[in-house]
Amino acid sequence: PAPRRAGKMAAAGRAWRVAALLPPWRLRAPRRAYGGAAAAAASVARSGGGGRLLLGAAFALGGGAGLYLAARQRLREHSAAELPSGRLQLTLYQYKTCPFCSKVRAFLDYHGLPYEIVEVNPIMRKEIKFSSYRKVPILLANAGSPLQLNDSSVIISAIKTYLISKRNSLEEIVSFYPPMKTVTEQGKEIFEYGNKYWLMLDEKETKRVYPVKEVRVEEMKWRKWADDWLVHLISPNVYRTPREALASFDYIVREGKFGTVEGFFAKYMGAVAMFFVSKRLKKRHHLQDNVREDLYEAVNEWVKAIGKHRLFMGGNQPNLADLAVYGVLRVMEGLEAFDDMMVHTKIQPWYQRMEEVIKKAEA
């Protein structure tokens, strides 16, 4: 990919020299992690700030809201029509920069499953008005009859079970993951899936996929870790300082074709809102004063768990934990937080191996 960030930062005559000095991960276009802020920027541009700005910021930071700069978009990165008749047809409703959506894409890409993407407006969410479940990702799957799958980890576990097991229909498999209504400390009703990290396999299938019990236990542990801890480190790091928040919005405004007045409000008011919301998230998740340290400790903990004698946690090939962690981390690509993580931790070799195997699978 072209060194877009270097080209934007340097004068035209020096761009190639700057790019040549950057490590490989700096040469990626900032194609993901700005998306949530873009949604908030569009909201600011339309309203001039106020409640809709905060709503946009909440969506963007709470779940890494999607790439929706000015109007509804419909992206088709993979065509479900490529699937032969009778095969699994998939449509993913997402915010592009949402870590949970990124997890699902990493899983589908690695397994070579064609799918259609529908980008959801994080403010209006008209694209998912058909669903009583109002979060993303949502996966519509058709393996003979249409079926809606909710929650990223349920989606991954159910589809993986379907790919391995030939005994049950996808509808039967999904029924093994019943939603359970719970009430949060704030009194809000939510749905949880208690067994979402399990693959519903028989004894023979289980032994084939997990030769020893410890392999299954380890995979489930780290999938849960990615959801319960790693994902909460993303937003506080992306909008850690006013400068980082402003740099994100500066890119959004220049690339988003805003008018002069719209761009001014989106850039400055949006960046301020994101910065302060990130501080609330930092407090909620009990992060250190320097949130980078939490990020560094987390990814080094992950690398240590893999060890020196495995390419991936799954051995010679990624398992579901590898795909989950990779999916979460890649939403920061192109941002200062991602660059710092690559420099100050031991994650780079594993991350580059993940990129390579997923590109091979996609090809």
Side-chain angles (χ1 to χ4, degrees):
R4 183 182 299 176
R5 290 189 67 202
K8 294 288 184 181
M9 294 169 59
R14 295 182 289 118
W16 68 272
R17 291 194 293 271
V18 174
L21 294 174
L22 293 175
W25 60 88
R26 293 296 297 269
L27 303 184
R28 301 186 184 94
R31 60 190 181 278
R32 295 190 177 95
Y34 291 104
S43 177
V44 175
R46 290 192 303 269
S47 66
R52 296 188 66 81
L53 165 63
L54 295 178
L55 179 61
F59 272 107
L61 289 168
L67 188 61
Y68 207 98
L69 292 175
R72 176 177 172 177
Q73 297 184 54
R74 185 175 178 88
L75 304 180
R76 295 173 180 266
E77 295 183 354
H78 302 257
S79 174
E82 296 173 4
L83 286 166
S85 177
R87 292 285 298 277
L88 189 62
Q89 297 185 9
L90 304 171
T91 302
L92 177 64
Y93 291 78
Q94 66 156 22
Y95 307 145
K96 188 171 184 180
T97 57
C98 165
F100 298 105
C101 300
S102 180
K103 279 172 46 187
V104 174
R105 293 198 310 273
F107 168 81
L108 296 175
D109 291 341
Y110 175 70
H111 289 86
L113 296 173
Y115 58 99
E116 178 182 342
I117 285 180
V118 176
E119 192 71 19
V120 176
N121 181 331
I123 307 301
M124 303 305 296
R125 292 182 285 181
K126 292 181 180 179
E127 295 80 5
I128 55 173
K129 64 182 179 180
F130 63 85
S131 173
S132 59
Y133 182 82
R134 302 298 291 167
K135 298 180 180 180
V136 292
I138 292 173
L139 185 71
L140 296 189
N142 193 330
S145 60
L147 189 64
Q148 178 176 329
L149 287 75
N150 306 324
D151 186 276
S152 62
S153 292
V154 171
I155 291 169
I156 290 169
S157 294
I159 298 297
K160 183 68 172 180
T161 299
Y162 179 77
L163 295 175
I164 296 171
S165 177
K166 307 302 181 184
R167 296 174 296 104
N168 299 309
S169 67
L170 182 58
E171 187 172 4
E172 290 172 318
I173 291 170
V174 172
S175 72
F176 299 149
Y177 302 93
M180 298 176 291
K181 185 182 292 186
T182 62
V183 180
T184 66
E185 294 178 356
Q186 294 75 29
K188 182 181 179 181
E189 289 187 349
I190 60 173
F191 288 97
E192 293 287 352
Y193 301 82
N195 57 352
K196 62 185 178 181
Y197 301 110
W198 284 87
L199 301 189
M200 301 304 174
L201 308 174
D202 63 22
E203 184 176 354
K204 183 178 180 180
E205 292 163 345
T206 299
K207 287 184 177 179
R208 176 160 56 90
V209 178
Y210 305 107
V212 294
K213 179 182 177 181
E214 289 74 16
V215 174
R216 185 177 199 170
V217 171
E218 181 183 51
E219 180 184 77
M220 292 172 63
K221 169 188 172 182
W222 289 97
R223 288 180 67 192
K224 188 174 188 301
W225 174 84
D227 286 352
D228 292 349
W229 177 241
L230 184 63
V231 73
H232 297 301
L233 302 178
I234 303 301
S235 293
N237 274 280
V238 168
Y239 299 102
R240 179 184 61 156
T241 66
R243 178 177 56 79
E244 288 178 84
L246 190 61
S248 298
F249 272 85
D250 181 64
Y251 176 83
I252 292 165
V253 169
R254 283 187 282 110
E255 296 295 315
K257 298 181 181 179
F258 289 95
T260 303
V261 176
E262 291 175 329
F264 177 84
F265 280 105
K267 178 178 177 178
Y268 292 100
M269 295 184 68
V272 169
M274 289 298 199
F275 172 71
F276 284 107
V277 172
S278 73
K279 299 310 173 187
R280 292 204 294 269
L281 292 174
K282 172 183 171 181
K283 183 177 180 180
R284 179 190 304 172
H285 298 297
H286 309 290
L287 304 183
Q288 299 178 51
D289 288 338
N290 182 0
V291 293
R292 283 287 199 275
E293 294 302 323
D294 291 291
L295 179 63
Y296 298 161
E297 289 176 11
V299 297
N300 280 332
E301 182 183 5
W302 165 251
V303 172
K304 182 178 179 181
I306 296 173
K308 298 180 179 179
H309 305 294
R310 293 189 290 184
L311 296 176
F312 308 97
M313 182 162 282
N316 291 328
Q317 290 295 322
N319 65 10
L320 298 182
D322 287 291
L323 294 169
V325 173
Y326 173 74
V328 170
L329 292 179
R330 73 173 175 177
V331 299
M332 295 191 298
E333 282 190 16
L335 297 175
E336 184 177 330
F338 183 87
D339 297 338
D340 288 347
M341 179 183 71
M342 286 294 183
V343 171
H344 297 290
T345 73
K346 301 177 181 179
I347 197 75
Q348 183 190 353
W350 170 85
Y351 194 90
Q352 291 180 335
R353 288 194 293 268
M354 287 297 302
E355 287 186 312
E356 291 169 4
V357 297
I358 287 180
K359 285 178 181 177
K360 285 183 179 179
E362 288 181 297

